[in-house]
Amino acid sequence: MNEYEFTGKTVEDAVEEGLRALGLAREEAEIVVLEEGKKGLFKSVKAKVKISKRKTDGERAVDFLEGLFDILGIAATNELEESEENTKINVITTNSYSVIGHRGEILDALQVLAGAVANIGREEYKRVVVDCENYREKREETLKRLANKLAEKAVRTGRKLSLEPMSPYERRVIHSALADSTEVKTQSEGKEPNRYIVVIPNNMRPGSDRFERRGGKGGYGKDRKNFGDRGDRRGGYNKDRQGGKPYDRRERRDRNPSSGGARPAKRAPYFGTYLGNSNAARTEDEGKNEE
């Protein structure tokens, strides 16, 4: 950006001279006072100012991105398109992946930073979009196809399906793609940065999401009513399996042959066989089985 210096008897005289020469209104100019000016008995010093055209919000964002790319060692140029509604910056580079990143993660970060710079001093937030090689449009089309495919699967299976965590922008695309659907509805769940969308069919079967895990895969089978019983298998089961009562193989080694197989009066505590069950809980369960 071109900067020009102007002088005058006073600062105001220097500013008026510079604005007139550059054809700018005061609100369109960046003014820096270099010398206030002094009146002396033998010598006077003129006021001096530096005037340049004020940068727009988008131009400030572009300058920031150019400085950031220099630090990162990325050779890139920026195309700026501004309107009253939003500001668009298109990044042109030979190394697009270094700007876009995995599923647009780097591009999203650049957009957040550029938006923050562009909105410094503004009362109303103005949206800033940073794109590279038309990635935004391509990604949006991919998300729309994904949304429609998952909606069809949710209706076909009668189960709700969840997507992987997405950015707020991508979640808006999914919500918008299925907003007019009469067969499914969408809602966001979880907390940032792991917030994700759930597609819920209107014909969802009762209890179909009981064992659902994120990603649409089922959890544990319906026949496994007590997940805690997994730990009891380490101790084995009685042959008759009456009441599902577990026994401990170590009990045989703890018996005293000289006393007719009776258990010793004291037994060292044993940990690890029963997950979440104390000896007191075992005694209570055995009493219930006998009843």
Side-chain angles (χ1 to χ4, degrees):
M1 178 176 293
N2 296 327
E3 297 177 335
Y4 303 91
E5 294 183 3
F6 299 90
T7 59
K9 291 183 178 180
T10 64
V11 171
E12 188 61 28
D13 290 342
V15 170
E16 290 180 358
E17 175 65 24
L19 294 177
R20 184 169 52 252
L22 297 176
L24 298 174
R26 187 176 290 268
E27 60 272 13
E28 298 175 333
E30 291 280 356
I31 301 172
V32 179
V33 178
L34 302 177
E35 181 64 52
E36 292 284 350
K38 296 179 181 179
K39 288 184 178 181
L41 181 61
F42 301 103
K43 184 179 180 181
S44 297
V45 178
K46 290 186 176 182
K48 182 185 295 185
V49 297
K50 182 167 60 177
I51 301 177
S52 60
K53 185 177 180 181
R54 183 185 297 274
K55 294 180 180 180
T56 65
D57 300 333
E59 288 173 342
R60 291 203 311 272
V62 168
D63 288 346
F64 168 78
L65 290 178
E66 289 177 350
L68 184 59
F69 290 149
D70 288 340
I71 295 174
L72 297 177
I74 300 175
T77 58
N78 301 286
E79 293 180 344
L80 176 63
E81 180 181 340
E82 288 188 277
S83 65
E84 294 183 359
E85 293 77 19
N86 54 43
T87 298
K88 295 182 179 179
I89 302 174
N90 183 41
V91 181
I92 302 174
T93 178
T94 55
N95 187 7
S96 58
Y97 184 79
S98 62
V99 175
I100 297 174
H102 178 64
R103 295 183 179 177
E105 291 178 346
I106 298 178
L107 196 63
D108 289 341
L110 294 174
Q111 180 169 292
V112 171
L113 295 174
V117 172
N119 283 277
I120 293 176
R122 289 183 57 89
E123 295 182 358
E124 296 183 1
Y125 186 85
K126 187 176 182 181
R127 185 166 180 247
V128 176
V129 178
V130 178
D131 201 357
C132 180
E133 294 188 357
N134 208 25
Y135 171 82
R136 298 290 185 192
E137 183 177 347
K138 296 176 183 177
R139 178 63 173 166
E140 186 172 328
E141 291 300 322
T142 300
L143 291 174
K144 288 179 179 179
R145 289 195 298 269
L146 175 64
N148 292 325
K149 185 179 298 184
L150 288 180
E152 293 175 358
K153 182 177 179 180
V155 173
R156 185 174 66 254
T157 61
R159 295 176 60 89
K160 70 178 183 180
L161 302 175
S162 59
L163 287 77
E164 63 183 10
M166 294 181 176
S167 66
Y169 164 75
E170 293 187 338
R171 292 199 303 271
R172 283 196 297 269
V173 174
I174 298 292
H175 287 306
S176 177
L178 300 178
D180 297 330
S181 175
T182 58
E183 297 180 314
V184 299
K185 62 181 179 179
T186 60
Q187 67 182 31
S188 295
E189 297 182 359
K191 296 182 179 180
E192 298 290 359
N194 297 317
R195 196 161 172 78
Y196 59 95
I197 287 181
V198 177
V199 180
I200 306 173
N202 296 335
N203 65 339
M204 186 171 69
R205 299 194 304 270
S208 61
D209 60 339
R210 181 178 179 184
F211 300 99
E212 180 191 1
R213 302 177 69 180
R214 232 174 356 162
K217 296 182 179 180
Y220 301 105
K222 295 182 179 180
D223 57 335
R224 189 172 296 176
K225 297 181 180 179
N226 187 358
F227 177 63
D229 289 344
R230 283 200 311 180
D232 295 339
R233 297 179 182 178
R234 296 174 60 184
Y237 291 90
N238 287 330
K239 294 181 179 179
D240 54 1
R241 302 177 69 91
Q242 294 180 357
K245 175 182 174 183
Y247 75 91
D248 191 346
R249 291 192 180 97
R250 297 182 60 170
E251 292 180 1
R252 293 184 177 180
R253 295 196 296 269
D254 293 336
R255 294 182 184 275
N256 187 353
S258 61
S259 59
R263 294 185 181 180
K266 294 184 179 180
R267 180 183 176 189
Y270 175 64
F271 301 96
T273 299
Y274 299 96
L275 299 182
N277 294 328
S278 64
N279 291 333
R282 289 181 55 201
T283 304
E284 183 180 352
D285 292 340
E286 290 172 0
K288 291 180 180 180
N289 292 334
E290 291 176 357
E291 292 176 0

